[in-house]
């Protein structure tokens, strides 16, 4: 049997006196596309931050590629192959598109930028534009492209479609599909608009109060109105 790429085992984490993740446990297989859904405030962002090491664990364990990474710093986890695109698009507004991408290159040759431009042709057109001049969708593309230049084997996407116009959402989702097909990278996608995330993903975990309350094939969850109504609310189109 193939080994999981990611394992969360009874993860407890939070902020100050507040516990957000309550014995959170789930696995992911290599190349899997996993949607993580649930109401606002249930701990989706905190989960991604705990995987990256941006929130310390109070107890439990995060393993990546079979290795316990719970005590590693975020940059060490990134070096091992974890890529993170936070909810707030973390681009440098005063740098150009190309300069933003160069900042994500690490030790790779400059030619690697071609990968980013192939995935997002729009970024190639805008390569000399400043980050602040980009539309929301273009900023999101830049944020994703920069994370990918680190060649992660698992990419964590926090609400990548949030606030974007329908056509741009389709363009991003199509790029994510190409990426999955061409690289086999594993992806966790957190989304409020669950229909789009479930159409892209293979499997889904539903969170409530910092714990997994439901797991299913993405297509099965998409058809399961009762479960969606109960745990996700009205976020389905
Ligand atoms: N930096 C923080 N300090 C204190 N509480 C926080 C912080 N970030 C998030 N929270 C709280 O943690 C809970 C879970 O937040 P979050 O993980 O962002 O949920 P989600 O992404 O599912 O909307 C919420 O109640 C939120 O208010
Ligand atoms: Mg969030």
């Amino acid at each position: 049997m193939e080994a999981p790429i990611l394992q969360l085992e009874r993860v407890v984490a939070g902020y100050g006196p507040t516990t957000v993740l309550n014995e959170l446990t789930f696995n992911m297989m290599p190349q899997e596309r996993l949607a993580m859904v649930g109401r606002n405030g249930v701990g989706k962002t905190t989960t991604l931050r705990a995987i990256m090491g941006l929130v310390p664990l109070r107890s439990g364990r995060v393993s990546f590629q079979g290795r316990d990474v719970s005590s590693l710093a975020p940059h060490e986890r990134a070096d091992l192959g974890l890529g993170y695109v936070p909810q707030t698009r973390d681009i440098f507004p005063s740098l150009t598109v190309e300069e933003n991408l160069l900042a994500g290159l690490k030790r790779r040759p400059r030619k690697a930028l071609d990968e980013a431009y192939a995935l997002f042709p729009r970024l190639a057109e805008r390569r000399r534009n400043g980050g602040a001049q980009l539309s929301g969708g273009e900023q999101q593309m830049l944020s994703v492209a920069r994370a990918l230049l680190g060649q992660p084997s698992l990419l964590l996407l926090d609400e990548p479609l949030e606030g974007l116009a329908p056509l741009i959402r389709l363009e991003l989702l199509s790029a994510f599909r190409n990426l999955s097909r061409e690289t086999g990278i594993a992806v966790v996608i957190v989304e409020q608009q669950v229909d789009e995330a479930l159409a892209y993903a293979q499997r889904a975990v539903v969170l409530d109060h910092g714990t997994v309350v439901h797991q299913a094939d993405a297509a099965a969850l998409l058809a399961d109105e009762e479960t969606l109504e109960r745990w996700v609310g009205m976020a389905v189109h």
Side-chain angles (χ1 to χ4, degrees):
M1 258 230 345
E2 208 179 7
I5 188 169
L6 179 75
Q7 292 169 282
L8 272 72
E9 295 167 85
R10 304 173 71 103
V11 166
V12 179
Y15 308 94
T18 314
T19 300
V20 175
L21 303 183
N22 283 302
E23 309 251 332
L24 179 66
T25 299
F26 69 91
N27 282 356
M28 261 185 91
M29 300 307 284
Q31 311 209 338
E32 191 170 38
R33 303 187 298 278
L34 180 76
M36 183 181 291
V37 301
R39 288 195 167 80
N40 226 350
V42 297
K44 302 179 299 293
T45 294
T46 304
T47 302
L48 300 189
R49 290 172 54 83
I51 295 169
M52 281 314 291
L54 296 163
V55 176
L57 302 194
R58 297 205 185 125
S59 62
R61 178 160 57 176
V62 176
S63 304
F64 178 61
Q65 293 172 329
R67 171 177 175 179
D68 183 354
V69 297
S70 309
S71 57
L72 297 186
H75 73 271
E76 294 173 302
R77 301 189 201 199
D79 285 346
L80 290 177
L82 279 165
Y84 176 47
V85 180
Q87 202 164 353
T88 50
R89 295 151 197 160
D90 68 338
I91 60 158
F92 301 111
S94 60
L95 301 184
T96 65
V97 165
E98 185 128 322
E99 288 163 345
N100 266 281
L101 291 173
L102 288 170
L105 261 188
K106 297 184 181 170
R107 289 166 291 278
R108 303 190 61 206
R110 195 183 170 112
K111 212 175 153 304
L113 258 52
D114 294 344
E115 296 165 16
Y117 293 139
L119 185 64
F120 297 114
R122 227 174 229 273
L123 293 181
E125 293 164 22
R126 301 268 191 279
R127 70 175 78 196
R128 316 235 174 273
N129 286 83
Q133 295 167 263
L134 302 179
S135 71
E138 290 162 351
Q139 290 185 7
Q140 188 61 272
M141 290 173 193
L142 181 54
S143 191
V144 172
R146 205 181 57 194
L148 288 171
L149 285 171
Q151 293 182 300
S153 44
L154 172 57
L155 183 65
L156 310 172
L157 298 173
D158 199 348
E159 301 205 22
L161 310 178
E162 188 192 17
L164 302 181
L167 279 176
I168 298 288
R169 300 162 77 94
L170 287 180
E171 193 174 330
L172 263 167
L173 277 167
S174 149
F176 295 159
R177 283 201 184 87
N178 289 341
L179 178 72
S180 298
R181 195 166 45 234
E182 284 161 25
T183 67
I185 189 175
V187 175
V188 179
I189 182 167
V190 168
E191 262 303 325
Q192 288 290 324
Q193 293 299 327
V194 295
D195 45 1
E196 283 160 324
L198 291 176
Y200 165 70
Q202 297 155 314
R203 200 164 62 85
V205 293
V206 183
L207 258 58
D208 194 55
H209 288 93
T211 199
V212 174
V213 291
H214 190 82
Q215 304 203 38
D217 282 345
L221 182 59
L222 193 52
D224 184 351
E225 284 178 29
E226 196 180 319
T227 300
L228 285 173
E229 175 72 27
R230 177 166 178 202
W231 298 115
V232 189
M234 299 312 291
V236 189
H237 288 146

